[in-house]
Amino acid sequence: MKLNFKPAPNYRSKQSTTGIMIDLTLCLLAVALFSVVYYFKAYGSALGTRVLINLVATVAAALVTEALWFKAVKKDIKEGIMSSYGWVTALIITLISSVNANVYALIISTVLAILFGKLVFGGFGQNIFNPAAFGEAILMSTFAATSADLLSGATPTVTYKGFGWISTADQLSGVIAQYGGLGKMFLGMYDSTMGSTCALLILACLAVLIIRKDIDWQTPVFYIGGVFVISLIVGLVRGAGIQYALFNVLAGGVLFGGVFMTTDPVTSPVSIPGKILFAIGAASFTLIIRWKSNLSDGVLYSILLMNMLTPMIDRLMDGSQIKDSGKLIRNMLIGSCAFIAVALLVGIVAIQPKKSAAAEPETTVIAAEALETDAVYDTAWADAH
Amino acid sequence: MSEEKKKKSLIDELIYDNPVFGLYLGICSCLAVTTTITNALGMGVAVIAVLVLSNILVSLVAPLTPDEIHIPVYIAIIASLVTIVGMVMQAYTPSLYDALGAFIDLIVVNCIILGRAEAFASKNGIAASARDGLMMGLAYTLSVFAMAFIRQILGTGVLALKNPLTDTTLFSLRLLPVGFDIPIFTTPTGAFLVFAILAAAVTAYKNSKDAKAAAAEKARKAAEAKEKAAKAAAAKAAAAAKKAAAAQAEPAKEA
């Protein structure tokens, strides 16, 4: 019998890793195209070209970094780059950043993400953390002060953070109206991080990726569904209604992160029950971070946290997928229930609505308050998850 | 010849037996004090002072110390020295003392110092111990300086050195344009990154040197073996020639 040894992702299906990555790249390019068109239409050529420059610069930085690395370790440069998929990381980093992001900051974050998030671990397939999330964490935590001030309006997550992520139905309606209603938010016609606005397009990408068997449907569906269900329960209990759940899914990076980042085959668990547990854990962490931390959105760090737990989940789900399916599903259910219980407890008992911001729901006031609560992160940046 | 050999061993001691990047000792303080080169050099000088004095004292008391209590004795010596150095720094370089904070006191538990007391000073004479302390201290200073150099330039864009005695800036050089600094390098994350890069570089240097030495050794051995074989062949040939000569001589005798 011939045994094949190669790093993850290993697939039984005919779909090759390169094929998956090409589909993923095309989906990301579609999202990028949408944001270029949106900024050209909404703000003219200055911002439109800026989006283009950001995209091209990060992709170029990723490719150059990889070329230099493969030259340094004496590997074939072309083959190395083609099997490392650095451009996917670069595109995701740019798309989950604000258009305000400094090009230099984006380039440095991409280089550090590719180098320290992926290549030093042994390259694609060996990394612990999602390289794009790694890069975005660097961008957010260290380059907050250097962002350009092109758009002054706060993003939905930052605005709602001003209310403490929980409030009466009226206040929430006010925030949603500020961005043109849930329908416009679904179509992505508002300013936020570049790529994460158009829910319709991202869901279309999700459908394409699932139909072409590029990703397992469980991770994104349970992630987005988890955010929806938990926030629905919290919203109903706290009197914010069903629109609270819809806002939680549409605002910020839940959809983009759920489709393009939690599904990373390298940094998520191998088994299907493991993937479900991973997705529900990430959903719980996303909401807990939104409610209780200084950050306005929690998608990025929830994914990084679950990346860290992936080996533990894999060990918990260790065993034959067919023979031990009862045990696996039991472990998955216990773990998921624990995550959901903690999130519900935090959401229902621990969070306090901010009354002061409610009096004057002006963007600038809220932004100033958000700055007060968080001296480290710039508001516009904190929204980048 | 001997001069060159000595020089080479000096570099070897600083890079090969580097306590930080070679032996991975004293890393904790290394990550904490390397935000500016001023702090790094101040810490380096403090460590050199403690290391040299503790090595001398340990080498003096080692023959008198019962084996069961040697670690408490060494720790007491080191702690006293660190307290003295800390007080001197507080008196003469208050800004440096404030900047380094608890890490001066933590020199007590710096693995390099107890490690050298245990491994070297307790078994060697005063002069050798003092020299060992100085070399180890210099290697530590070199390591923290290299880290601080990279971190300060990348993190703030400005390379500046202060005179800790008078608190005046000796020089300040902007090496990266404004807005092109990478603030992550001023954070502990940046310290870990720089540490990892330098440790990898030192290991790569050592590996290439080891490989070269191994290749040279192999070549030397091969040459030796060849020489031996040649000698053996020559001896064999000589023996054969002797035999032949003897065989030739025999018929002559018979005749």
Side-chain angles (χ1 to χ4, degrees):
Chain A
M1 192 171 75
K2 189 175 175 290
L3 290 172
N4 282 317
F5 290 98
K6 68 185 185 78
N10 289 305
Y11 281 96
R12 241 182 351 173
S13 68
K14 281 184 191 130
Q15 179 69 290
S16 70
T17 310
T18 312
I20 293 171
M21 285 301 171
I22 287 171
D23 286 354
L24 189 60
T25 310
L26 290 175
C27 284
L28 286 170
L29 285 177
V31 175
L33 186 70
F34 170 81
S35 84
V36 172
V37 170
Y38 171 73
Y39 282 100
F40 258 112
K41 262 182 88 177
Y43 294 98
S45 58
L47 275 188
T49 43
R50 197 182 161 82
V51 178
L52 270 179
I53 290 170
N54 283 356
L55 287 167
V56 173
T58 46
V59 171
L63 296 182
V64 169
T65 311
E66 297 201 324
L68 290 176
W69 170 268
F70 287 119
K71 196 169 166 60
V73 298
K74 298 190 179 70
K75 275 189 185 154
D76 185 58
I77 293 174
K78 196 173 164 222
E79 200 193 309
I81 289 177
M82 291 314 285
S83 61
S84 187
Y85 314 107
W87 62 84
V88 172
T89 304
L91 283 174
I92 294 179
I93 289 179
T94 315
L95 289 175
I96 57 179
S97 308
S98 161
V99 71
N100 285 338
N102 187 320
V103 182
Y104 175 72
L106 277 172
I107 290 173
I108 295 290
S109 304
T110 310
V111 170
L112 290 177
I114 299 267
L115 202 57
F116 292 107
K118 186 167 73 180
L119 292 176
V120 293
F121 285 105
F124 181 80
Q126 312 269 15
N127 45 314
I128 301 171
F129 294 107
N130 184 322
F134 187 100
E136 189 62 21
I138 293 174
L139 187 70
M140 271 175 58
S141 59
T142 68
F143 285 108
T146 57
S147 63
D149 205 14
L150 299 172
L151 290 173
S152 52
T155 55
T157 47
V158 175
T159 309
Y160 204 47
K161 185 77 190 170
F163 295 97
W165 268 105
I166 189 89
S167 60
T168 62
D170 291 347
Q171 290 164 349
L172 179 59
S173 300
V175 175
I176 291 171
Q178 198 181 324
Y179 296 96
L182 284 173
K184 261 202 163 166
M185 285 183 76
F186 185 72
L187 292 175
M189 293 298 162
Y190 65 103
D191 300 338
S192 183
T193 53
M194 277 189 267
S196 62
T197 51
C198 186
L200 181 66
L201 182 59
I202 294 170
L203 289 176
C205 290
L206 176 65
V208 169
L209 291 174
I210 290 173
I211 288 167
R212 288 182 56 80
K213 292 207 168 72
D214 295 323
I215 56 177
D216 289 309
W217 62 270
Q218 283 89 349
T219 324
V221 167
F222 275 89
Y223 176 68
I224 298 165
V227 170
F228 183 81
V229 170
I230 296 170
S231 56
L232 179 67
I233 297 172
V234 171
L236 289 175
V237 171
R238 300 293 295 258
I242 190 170
Q243 60 179 357
Y244 183 70
L246 290 170
F247 181 79
N248 257 306
V249 171
L250 289 176
V254 170
L255 285 171
F256 189 90
V259 174
F260 294 111
M261 288 160 81
T262 57
T263 53
D264 179 1
V266 180
T267 54
S268 59
V270 179
S271 62
I272 294 295
K275 280 183 200 294
I276 294 173
L277 180 56
F278 176 93
I280 288 177
S284 306
F285 274 127
T286 302
L287 291 168
I288 292 171
I289 292 170
R290 279 184 176 179
W291 292 326
K292 292 303 285 180
S293 78
N294 286 337
L295 299 162
S296 60
D297 201 353
V299 175
L300 173 74
Y301 284 105
S302 72
I303 292 171
L304 286 173
L305 278 169
M306 291 315 288
N307 285 164
M308 217 151 65
L309 293 179
T310 295
M312 282 70 123
I313 293 175
D314 271 338
R315 201 175 307 156
L316 189 70
M317 302 295 166
D318 202 8
S320 166
Q321 293 266 325
I322 297 156
K323 215 166 58 188
D324 300 340
S325 62
K327 185 191 117 195
L328 299 190
I329 289 169
R330 198 192 64 217
N331 282 348
M332 186 262 290
L333 282 177
I334 293 173
S336 306
C337 289
F339 277 125
I340 292 173
V342 172
L344 285 179
L345 200 69
V346 172
I348 292 171
V349 179
I351 44 171
Q352 298 298 328
K354 289 186 183 171
K355 291 263 159 53
S356 56
E360 204 183 346
E362 285 289 322
T363 317
T364 46
V365 174
I366 293 152
E369 187 171 289
L371 263 180
E372 239 174 61
T373 56
D374 177 15
V376 185
Y377 299 103
D378 186 58
T379 48
W381 281 79
D383 183 62
H385 300 274
Chain B
M1 172 73 197
S2 74
E3 187 63 41
E4 200 185 311
K5 203 178 167 193
K6 215 174 181 180
K7 226 179 191 172
K8 204 181 157 203
S9 72
L10 201 77
I11 292 171
D12 270 4
E13 259 177 284
L14 286 180
I15 294 177
Y16 232 73
D17 302 334
N18 189 303
V20 178
F21 298 123
L23 308 171
Y24 302 111
L25 295 176
I27 296 169
C28 176
S29 63
C30 209
L31 298 172
V33 302
T34 53
T35 44
T36 66
I37 53 173
T38 314
N39 288 354
L41 288 176
M43 185 71 179
V45 171
V47 167
I48 291 176
V50 173
L51 201 47
V52 170
L53 291 173
S54 82
N55 265 10
I56 291 174
L57 286 177
V58 166
S59 76
L60 278 174
V61 301
L64 311 172
T65 319
D67 205 32
E68 291 82 6
I69 56 157
H70 69 281
I71 286 184
V73 170
Y74 298 166
I75 287 284
I77 292 171
I78 295 165
S80 320
L81 290 168
V82 170
T83 311
I84 294 168
V85 168
M87 285 175 171
V88 170
M89 288 178 81
Q90 197 174 10
Y92 293 100
T93 60
S95 65
L96 189 63
Y97 182 83
D98 288 343
L100 295 177
F103 289 96
I104 295 176
D105 300 330
L106 286 176
I107 298 176
V108 177
V109 288
N110 194 319
C111 311
I112 302 170
I113 292 162
L114 189 63
R116 290 326 286 176
E118 274 281 279
F120 193 90
S122 58
K123 296 170 194 153
N124 287 284
I126 299 174
S129 299
R131 186 183 174 282
D132 178 74
L134 183 66
M135 291 310 295
M136 279 287 156
L138 281 176
Y140 176 84
T141 312
L142 186 74
S143 314
V144 286
F145 180 77
M147 277 182 71
F149 187 77
I150 297 172
R151 284 183 68 193
Q152 199 178 3
I153 291 177
L154 290 179
T156 64
V158 182
L159 190 66
L161 185 63
K162 261 188 180 168
N163 181 352
L165 289 172
T166 56
D167 249 345
T168 48
T169 305
L170 291 177
F171 69 88
S172 174
L173 202 62
R174 182 161 268 286
L175 293 168
L176 292 176
V178 181
F180 282 81
D181 48 322
I182 307 165
I184 194 172
F185 284 102
T186 58
T187 65
T189 321
F192 277 111
L193 290 183
V194 173
F195 179 82
I197 297 169
L198 287 177
V202 168
T203 310
Y205 169 79
K206 277 192 213 164
N207 284 350
S208 79
K209 223 175 157 189
D210 283 349
K212 256 183 211 163
E217 179 76 0
K218 212 175 168 188
R220 199 180 60 79
K221 268 196 178 147
E224 223 166 55
K226 213 174 175 186
E227 208 170 283
K228 228 179 190 174
K231 241 182 205 167
K236 221 177 179 181
K242 220 175 175 183
K243 223 178 183 178
Q248 237 175 25
E250 221 146 87
K253 230 186 211 170
E254 250 171 49

